[in-house]
Structures are given as structure tokens and as C-alpha cells.
Amino acid sequence: MEGLMQDYELSLQHVLWRLERLHAHKEVVTKQEQGVHRTTNGEMVPRINRLAGALKRLGIKPGDRVATLAWNNYRHLELYYAVPCMGAVLHTLNLRLFPQHLEFVINDAEDKVLFVDQTLLPLLKPLIGKIPSVEQFVVMGNGTPLPDHGLGDVLDYETLLHAESEAYPWPKLSERMAAAMCYTSGTTGNPKGVVYSHRSQFIHTMGVLQADNLGLTEKDVVFPIVPMFHANSWGLPYACGMAGCKVLFPDRFMGDAKSVVDLAEQEAATILAGVPTIWINTAALLKQTGQRLPKVHTVICGGSAIPRSLMESMDAIGLRMLHAWGMTETSPLGSVARPRSGTPADDELNKRLTQGIVVPGVEIRIVDPASDEVLPWDGVAFGEIQVRGPWIARGYYNGYDPGKLTEDGWFRTGDVAKITPEGYIQIVDRTKDVIKSGGEWISSVDLENAIMSHPKILEAAVIGLAHSKWDERPVAYAVARPEFKGQVTQEEVIQFLQDKVAKWWLPDEVRFIDEVPKTSVGKFDKKVLRASAVPIKESAAPAGRK
Ligand code: ADP
């Protein structure tokens, strides 16, 4: 017997409908060079209609890819709605990719029209003549004359919108249709295209909103500092549209802690979201200035593990972090660290520092990569995280890397973790970052956390370097806090670690650098460290065993 419920197609048009009917008065505020740009959903909806009309006029058909090279701002949000709701596919380009990666992803996706923020035009210069699929460039101007760009005839966003009607006959969509594309940021290899469907975006949005997940409500003022090209800004734009949150955008000031703090304060932000490196700078600034953000109740943080020292210093200034785990391929929400009921007060911090509990709708297992054996949730055994669910990728665009899906339909994440009997996930490392020393594994993440809890250290990244006897040994790259520059030694760091990690985990060397290189989405870039690392001095006794 079949159920008698409607086959209602799950699509982003539903979110657009709510934006128009229920949340028209809600503001969208974007930081600008001087002051802010302020609009409302009610003002944006006719522009979204005009934009869809313009795209149609440019020849965009269902399934065509429309690329954006843009900061987090209101125009990018208009594209977030117009493109998928007309049946085309929004391809958000990562503006921090190297030109050859940018070229690769545009060609791989065969983008037809490319929307670019005026300030980002220079990024396209090296691509001139190399991205033949792009028929038209549309510049989202900032009121100043365009620089010399070499792209030939380009269209102006506002002029384009102006010429269209405020009404658009949105087509009927099927929920399986592609809505958006996002390439992995290539932390561990070439970027690969992840294709979200309307259905996956819709269900993911509902998942994001759940109280035990990110828990956005209509009362919230949400400030996504995580880029709109990084896994759809973690799904926040659509979640805000669905719930009716006021939204703040940092535009090109997302890396500037002072701008972020000032906008959050002026616009009464209640939820902030970004990767740990953003908060390392923010916490340092707030500590120094004494400024506080009392209205902020949650700082959503994911993308890499939150160092304990960071969560502690954020707690101390009243900013409560909510740790989440996920990846581009998981839309990205996979797990959220909210301590379960009954957690003793003195264990809360430990639980908040785990990657948390897998979210409803997603199934998880850990598997021994050597034997394919599914491992128990005993808090000891660790293996690769595999997941499945309605917003988990089943493959990449153009069929790359088919081995990422197991024969029985689980996605191999490449993250190594243990899971406690209560279900808390604890990521040990990425399979590619874990250090294999004498047949045993050393977690680079745990070592980094231990080093970053040293009061004189701001950032630390640990990599494994080749060793003739042990295969690999850990080497730490550390950045001193500015006030302690030149005043912290390898010996001091090793001494500090003695009671925090096993003796054989102690790094062979601690190398001081000015800054840890970051990936395009702000994570520590160990690929760069590895590529330029000088070999371990094996003749000298390791730092930890002197
Ligand atoms: P890339 O794979 O290029 O870094 P993603 O943003 O998709 O781009 O990265 C997903 C990966 O980031 C995960 O597989 C995991 O290794 C890491 N990650 C994300 N969130 C966390 C977290 N909370 N703790 C530890 N690692 C995380």
C-alpha cells in the first residue's frame, strides 16, 4: 500500500517563496568601503526575478552552469536564488584558488556565464583566452570605473537587471535537478566538482535549522564569514532564508577582524560562522581592545578542529563556539558538538571540542581501511569515517574518483576518527596527514592542539617528514604570538609537551615561522609546508629525546 501524501517537489523555490511572503521586511546588510549597503528581502525579490529574466535573455537554459566569482554580499545572494530557481546550476568559484585551478574548474564545469565582483576582475586576467565555455562576463560594479580587464565586452549587473521585468514565471522544477556546484578546495588534491540537487539542498536546509544542529531561528541575526564559495557558506544563506533571519555580509572584509567585529556589534549579530583561523585573530583583537559582543550567542566553527586553547579564550571573552564537522561533499553539515543531556559540567568543554554527534538524516560508521572491517563505537578503535544520507555526494562531476563510494553505497570521507559509545566523533586526523612513525599513528591534530595551548604560541601545524628508521617523524611549524616573537625556543615547547603527549609523539624538531600557510578556505596548508620542508636532521638527537 502506498502513502497518500503529495509528491511535493523539494526545491529552493520554496525558500524563495518564504523570503517573499513571510520575511520581506528582514534586512540584508553588506559591509562596504564606506559604511554598509542595506536592503531587505522584499526589495531583493523583484531583483531576483529580474536577474532570472536576464539570465534567460542571455540564453541560460535548465542545467546550464552559471559561475560566480564573488565575496559574501547581497548580489551574490540574489544569484543564489535566481540561478537555481530558474533551473540552472549555480557554480560558486573559490576566489582564492590558484589561476590554474580556477581555469580547471571553470573548464570542467563548462560555465556559460560568469558573474564577477568588480574588485575581483584582476583574478580573471590570467584566464583570458583559456576558458572558452564562458560566453559572457557580468561585472558586479562598485560605482567606480572598471579597471583595464582585457575580457572584451562585459555586461554590467545593474544595467542588466534594469532592463528586465519584476515578475518572472518560475518553471516547475524536479527535485532531482542540479541546483548548485561546488568544487572541493583541493586541500589534499585537485578540486573535484560536487553537485547538489534541489532536494539535497532543501533537506540540508531543514537539517541546518534543527535546534540540536545549528539552530537558527527567525530572531537571529546571522553573520556568515565563511565564504559563499565554501560549501555554500555551510548552507547558511538558504537556512537564513527559510527561517527568516537578518543576514550580515562582510564582502571583501571577511579577513579583517576589526571590520567583522564592528559590523557584528553595529548590527547586533547573534550568530557568527567561520573557520578557526578567523577566530584566532578575532579573539586576539578582542582581548587586546576589550571590546565585547554580548548579543552573540553562538560562533559556528568548522572546517578544521577547534584548538582547545581557542575555545577557552573565546569562552573567556563571552563567545561560545559551536563545533561542527563536514565537508563540501556532505553539503556540508555532518555532525555538531552539543553536549548531550546529563553531561557533567566539568566535561562540557571536552564534549564541545569533539566533532560531536552525527546529525539526523546522516548515517555514520568507522571502517578499518586495511581490512574494511566496520569498527565498534568504543572510543578506542579508530578508522575512516564513512557516511551516507540524502545530502551526501554519491560521486563527483565528470566521474572523477569513483572509488570514493564504497560498493555498499557509503561515502569515504578520508577522515580518521574514533566514536565513543554515546556517539561523539573524535577526529584523529585526515588519512593524508596522520604521521606514521614506526608502524604507529601519531595524530597531527592532537599535537598541534597541544602546542597551540602554549601561552606563547599563536599557531602550529605538524607534518610527518621522512625518517630512515621510523618511516616518518613529526616536525612542528610554530608561530610565536607577536609579543613573544624570538622569545620562545624549541626546548621550551618540547618541555611543555612532556606531560601532554606520549614521549614518542614529541616532535623531532620545532621550526619557527612567521605564519602558517593557509589554504584557499583558511585552513593550515600542510601541502605547502611539506613541499618546502627541509629534511629532518637525523644526525642530531631528536628535540624530544635530548
Ligand atoms: P577541503 O577538503 O579541500 O579541505 P572541505 O572544506 O570540504 O575542503 O574540507 C573538509 C574536511 O575538513 C573534512 O574532511 C575534515 O578533514 C576537515 N574538517 C572539517 N570540519 C572539521 C572539524 N570540525 N574538525 C576537524 N576537521 C574538520
Side-chain angles (χ1 to χ4, degrees):
M1 178 170 148
E2 280 206 354
L4 286 174
M5 293 298 117
Q6 298 182 358
D7 279 327
Y8 178 81
E9 299 289 328
L10 307 179
S11 95
L12 292 171
Q13 289 177 348
H14 179 87
V15 189
L16 180 58
W17 179 80
R18 287 185 69 85
L19 211 62
E20 181 172 12
R21 304 306 311 210
L22 291 158
H23 310 310
H25 61 294
K26 286 306 190 84
E27 286 181 316
V28 175
V29 180
T30 304
K31 166 111 186 85
Q32 288 195 317
E33 216 70 35
Q34 305 290 334
V36 295
H37 173 279
R38 194 178 295 276
T39 185
T40 62
N41 290 329
E43 286 164 2
M44 271 178 41
V45 169
R47 288 170 56 84
I48 293 167
N49 285 280
R50 286 170 181 272
L51 179 54
L55 285 165
K56 194 168 179 195
R57 197 176 298 277
L58 290 175
I60 292 296
K61 299 199 176 52
D64 283 346
R65 271 75 66 204
V66 175
T68 59
L69 187 60
W71 301 105
N72 288 15
N73 56 39
Y74 67 99
R75 286 176 176 147
H76 208 169
L77 189 61
E78 289 166 354
L79 284 153
Y80 255 60
Y81 285 103
V83 176
C85 290
M86 71 174 297
V89 184
L90 178 82
H91 176 198
T92 50
L93 295 169
N94 180 338
L95 55 90
R96 302 209 181 89
L97 287 184
F98 293 119
Q100 67 272 26
H101 274 167
L102 212 48
E103 178 187 334
F104 170 81
V105 302
I106 294 170
N107 286 330
D108 193 60
E110 294 176 276
D111 297 325
K112 231 172 151 178
V113 176
L114 194 159
F115 285 76
V116 54
D117 272 339
Q118 181 171 336
T119 52
L120 295 171
L121 267 172
L123 297 184
L124 292 176
K125 251 201 164 148
L127 308 189
I128 292 171
K130 295 181 178 164
I131 43 175
S133 66
V134 179
E135 294 168 5
Q136 192 65 64
F137 295 92
V138 181
V139 179
M140 299 186 277
N142 57 10
T144 60
L146 291 191
D148 173 29
H149 50 71
L151 294 170
D153 282 343
V154 298
L155 297 174
D156 169 62
Y157 185 85
E158 294 299 332
T159 314
L160 207 59
L161 261 58
H162 192 72
E164 298 298 328
S165 153
E166 278 191 5
Y168 186 80
W170 298 106
K172 192 165 165 30
L173 300 178
S174 129
E175 64 179 23
R176 310 267 161 187
M177 283 170 72
M181 266 186 109
C182 199
Y183 279 71
T184 60
S185 54
T187 305
T188 54
N190 256 335
K192 287 173 289 199
V194 177
V195 184
Y196 307 118
S197 64
H198 277 269
R199 174 187 152 84
S200 75
Q201 293 283 49
F202 185 102
I203 307 177
H204 181 258
T205 304
M206 301 293 269
V208 166
L209 292 179
Q210 287 187 325
D212 269 342
N213 295 345
L214 304 187
L216 277 55
T217 72
E218 190 268 345
K219 294 185 181 64
D220 280 308
V221 178
V222 180
F223 192 179
I225 293 135
V226 50
M228 288 168 88
F229 58 76
H230 186 197
N232 278 332
S233 197
W234 299 345
L236 292 170
Y238 297 133
C240 289
M242 194 78 116
C245 313
K246 171 177 170 182
V247 185
L248 311 180
F249 285 129
D251 201 67
R252 64 183 192 80
F253 302 93
M254 52 174 44
D256 175 17
K258 183 162 177 356
S259 295
V260 166
V261 167
D262 287 347
L263 188 65
E265 186 182 39
Q266 283 152 24
E267 298 295 329
T270 61
I271 296 182
L272 313 178
V275 294
T277 45
I278 297 268
W279 310 120
I280 292 179
N281 294 334
T282 310
L285 176 82
L286 292 178
K287 229 164 126 182
Q288 189 197 336
T289 59
Q291 194 179 358
R292 294 293 178 265
L293 297 170
K295 295 240 166 68
V296 173
H297 59 71
T298 306
V299 178
I300 302 165
C301 186
S304 38
I306 303 182
R308 177 179 287 263
S309 53
L310 175 62
M311 195 177 275
E312 284 171 344
S313 43
M314 291 284 278
D315 276 351
I317 51 178
L319 291 176
R320 192 179 166 89
M321 301 185 92
L322 178 64
H323 194 192
W325 165 84
M327 55 203 308
T328 307
E329 295 90 328
T330 65
S331 291
L333 194 62
S335 66
V336 180
R338 294 193 189 263
R340 304 191 69 157
S341 53
T343 305
D346 61 359
D347 197 27
E348 284 243 335
L349 184 66
N350 293 331
K351 294 294 186 283
R352 288 169 56 211
L353 283 165
T354 67
Q355 278 68 26
I357 308 282
V358 71
V359 298
V362 178
E363 274 181 68
I364 192 167
R365 67 183 187 186
I366 44 173
V367 175
D368 182 336
S371 65
D372 269 349
E373 187 195 340
V374 176
L375 298 168
W377 293 13
D378 58 7
V380 181
F382 53 88
E384 183 183 41
I385 299 181
Q386 298 183 353
V387 284
R388 64 177 181 188
W391 63 76
I392 309 296
R394 65 178 153 88
Y396 294 104
Y397 188 60
N398 278 336
Y400 292 119
D401 212 354
K404 283 293 263 189
L405 208 67
T406 65
E407 272 175 19
D408 54 350
W410 293 71
F411 183 79
R412 300 181 211 266
T413 65
D415 285 336
V416 178
K418 12 186 188 184
I419 304 183
T420 69
E422 301 149 289
Y424 291 101
I425 302 161
Q426 284 173 318
I427 293 199
V428 175
D429 223 326
R430 279 188 154 185
T431 31
K432 288 180 182 156
D433 291 337
V434 78
I435 299 155
K436 289 138 201 138
S437 172
E440 300 281 350
W441 282 13
I442 298 174
S443 158
S444 66
V445 175
D446 287 355
L447 255 183
E448 287 159 8
N449 277 334
I451 300 171
M452 283 191 276
S453 65
H454 190 291
K456 295 184 185 171
I457 302 289
L458 184 67
E459 293 178 340
V462 176
I463 56 171
L465 289 182
H467 191 283
S468 55
K469 180 164 174 202
W470 302 106
D471 280 342
E472 275 184 354
R473 289 293 304 154
V475 169
Y477 287 80
V479 180
R481 290 188 176 278
E483 62 274 31
F484 296 111
K485 208 168 169 195
Q487 294 174 39
V488 50
T489 62
Q490 162 166 291
E491 287 64 35
E492 200 178 333
V493 173
I494 299 288
Q495 183 58 35
F496 176 79
L497 292 176
Q498 296 282 351
D499 60 352
K500 295 179 180 64
V501 299
K503 196 163 173 49
W504 60 276
W505 277 39
L506 292 172
D508 277 27
E509 288 177 44
V510 180
R511 299 174 178 173
F512 290 94
I513 50 178
D514 288 338
E515 195 189 338
V516 176
K518 310 278 182 337
T519 69
S520 58
V521 291
K523 304 183 193 189
F524 291 162
D525 198 340
K526 300 192 190 182
K527 249 192 334 203
V528 171
L529 284 177
R530 275 189 209 104
S532 59
V534 276
I536 296 178
K537 286 193 222 92
E538 289 190 30
S539 51
R545 278 171 265 138
K546 270 181 190 153

